[in-house]
């Protein structure tokens, strides 16, 4: 029986015929996602097909005519059902890429997003010397993606990831080890700066910054699958920033002389963060934008650091 004849019966739902070739199974998955109205049907299908069939892109290219087999059919059917039910691709795969590095996920971590790379870029610009022995802190570390990316780019740096969720810390610890920086990273369970003494050259964070009333309106992929504690920033979305900036203002020794903070912010929070920081005594405050042109990161070099 030809490939075309084998493919057609499998197109009636999310089940996959085990005799389908890998190429045909991918085409079927694309069609399922298109019929479900998923906006990135082709991209989602490719990611999930490679994951479910344990293939590399080269495998698919060179051996695309090989059948998926019974195990592959089951894995694809499961992935298709979960995606069509609204589960994000990254959650189905259990990992995602950030800064060109792989990061495992957990139920207490956000999925690393490309917008957050703006934090890494801003921090590297502040401390451009590759071999400088930096000491840095990542507050609300989650997967550890910001911390690990910075340690990857600064081979003589040492960093600490802080999070209130033990599950997130376990994931971050694993990610640091898997990306080759585990010997230069430590992880602490705590709330923002409470467990730290310093001094540190750099403090970075992607804290929860969505106003509490807005969380319920977020897309289901975020609202139902990302941890609520990593989204809810309080009534105006600024609670975490207040805690961080207040902690530095009360204990300026946490920052070394010339030290800096780099904080991710929501697209509409730039002006509010500048006002908040200056009200707490931070004089050198700058807002940076992401690739879409939205406010995305605030950098602060406070005069307090020199005291």
């Amino acid at each position: 029986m030809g490939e075309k004849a084998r493919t057609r019966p499998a197109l009636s739902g999310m089940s996959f015929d085990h005799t389908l070739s890998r190429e045909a199974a991918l085409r079927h998955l694309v069609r399922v996602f298109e019929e479900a109205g998923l906006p990135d049907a082709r991209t989602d299908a490719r990611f999930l097909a490679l994951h479910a069939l344990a293939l590399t892109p080269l495998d698919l290219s060179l051996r695309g005519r090989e059948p998926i087999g019974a195990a592959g059919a089951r894995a694809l059917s499961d992935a298709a059902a979960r995606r069509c039910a609204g589960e994000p691709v990254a959650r189905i795969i259990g990992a995602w890429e950030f800064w060109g590095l792989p990061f495992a996920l957990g139920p207490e971590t956000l999925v690393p997003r490309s917008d957050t790379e703006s934090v890494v870029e801003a921090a590297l610009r502040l401390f451009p010397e590759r071999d400088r022995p930096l000491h840095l802190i990542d507050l609300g570390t989650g997967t550890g993606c910001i911390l690990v990316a910075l340690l990857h780019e600064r081979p003589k740096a040492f960093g600490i990831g802080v999070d209130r969720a033990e599950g997130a810390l376990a994931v971050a610890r694993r990610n640091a080890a898997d990306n080759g920086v585990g010997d230069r990273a430590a992880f602490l369970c705590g709330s923002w700066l409470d467990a730290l003494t310093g001094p540190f050259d750099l403090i970075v964070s992607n804290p929860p910054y969505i106003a509490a009333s807005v969380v319920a309106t977020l897309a289901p992929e975020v609202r139902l699958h990302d941890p609520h504690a990593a989204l809810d920033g309080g009534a105006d979305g600024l609670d975490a920033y207040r805690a961080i900036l207040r902690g530095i203002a009360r204990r300026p020794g946490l920052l070394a002389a010339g030290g800096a903070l780099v904080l991710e912010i929501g697209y509409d929070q730039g002006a509010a963060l500048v006002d908040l920081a200056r009200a707490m005594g931070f004089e050198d405050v700058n807002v940076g934008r992401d690739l879409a042109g939205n406010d995305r990161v605030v950098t602060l070099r406070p005069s307090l650091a020199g005291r």
Side-chain angles (χ1 to χ4, degrees), residues 16-301:
F16 287 76
D17 187 327
H18 72 278
T19 65
L20 282 175
S21 73
R22 294 164 170 173
E23 292 172 343
L26 175 57
R27 290 195 295 271
H28 173 37
L29 192 58
V30 170
R31 179 169 171 179
V32 168
F33 289 170
E34 287 176 341
E35 291 176 350
L38 298 180
D40 299 309
R42 292 185 178 276
T43 300
D44 289 0
R46 187 169 181 82
F47 271 121
L48 290 176
L50 293 174
H51 170 71
L53 300 175
L55 302 175
T56 66
L58 185 61
D59 292 332
L60 185 61
S61 176
L62 297 181
R63 292 181 287 277
R65 292 184 176 273
E66 294 183 12
I68 60 174
R74 288 192 298 271
L76 280 171
S77 297
D78 177 68
R82 291 171 66 181
R83 184 69 191 101
C84 288
E87 189 170 352
V89 171
R91 295 291 178 188
I92 298 171
I93 293 174
W96 206 240
E97 183 179 289
F98 179 87
W99 202 256
L101 303 169
F103 288 88
L105 307 178
E108 294 178 284
T109 71
L110 290 173
V111 176
R113 291 171 170 83
S114 58
D115 288 343
T116 303
E117 293 187 352
S118 299
V119 175
V120 179
E121 292 166 353
L124 294 176
R125 285 195 298 270
L126 289 172
F127 298 94
E129 303 90 348
R130 178 172 171 79
D131 292 327
R132 180 169 173 170
L134 292 171
H135 289 80
L136 60 102
I137 292 289
D138 179 17
L139 301 174
T141 194
T143 61
C145 62
I146 298 175
L147 176 65
V148 170
L150 288 171
L151 293 179
H152 186 266
E153 295 295 331
R154 297 292 179 262
K156 293 187 179 179
F158 177 85
I160 299 174
V162 179
D163 206 289
R164 289 181 295 182
E166 290 281 6
L169 292 171
V171 172
R173 192 175 292 111
R174 169 187 166 190
N175 284 327
D178 289 349
N179 282 294
V181 299
D183 60 337
R184 294 187 288 117
F187 297 92
L188 296 176
C189 187
S191 179
W192 305 122
L193 295 160
D194 292 351
L196 304 172
T197 57
F200 300 101
D201 302 293
L202 176 64
I203 297 174
V204 296
S205 183
N206 174 22
Y209 55 70
I210 299 171
S213 61
V214 175
V215 172
T217 71
L218 297 174
E221 289 190 1
V222 176
R223 174 169 45 85
L224 300 179
H225 297 280
D226 279 340
H228 183 84
L231 300 173
D232 188 345
D236 60 359
L238 304 179
D239 281 1
Y241 303 107
R242 290 189 184 91
I244 294 169
L245 297 180
R246 190 177 295 120
I248 297 291
R250 288 174 177 172
R251 293 186 293 149
L254 286 171
L255 274 174
L261 292 88
V262 183
L263 308 173
E264 181 169 340
I265 60 172
Y267 74 94
D268 58 351
Q269 293 177 321
L273 256 294
V274 170
D275 290 344
L276 179 62
R278 288 179 175 162
M280 292 192 182
F282 296 83
E283 297 175 356
D284 186 357
V285 185
N286 294 280
V287 179
R289 295 181 176 179
D290 58 25
L291 293 177
N294 297 316
D295 289 350
R296 186 57 58 191
V297 60
V298 169
T299 62
L300 305 98
R301 282 186 179 276

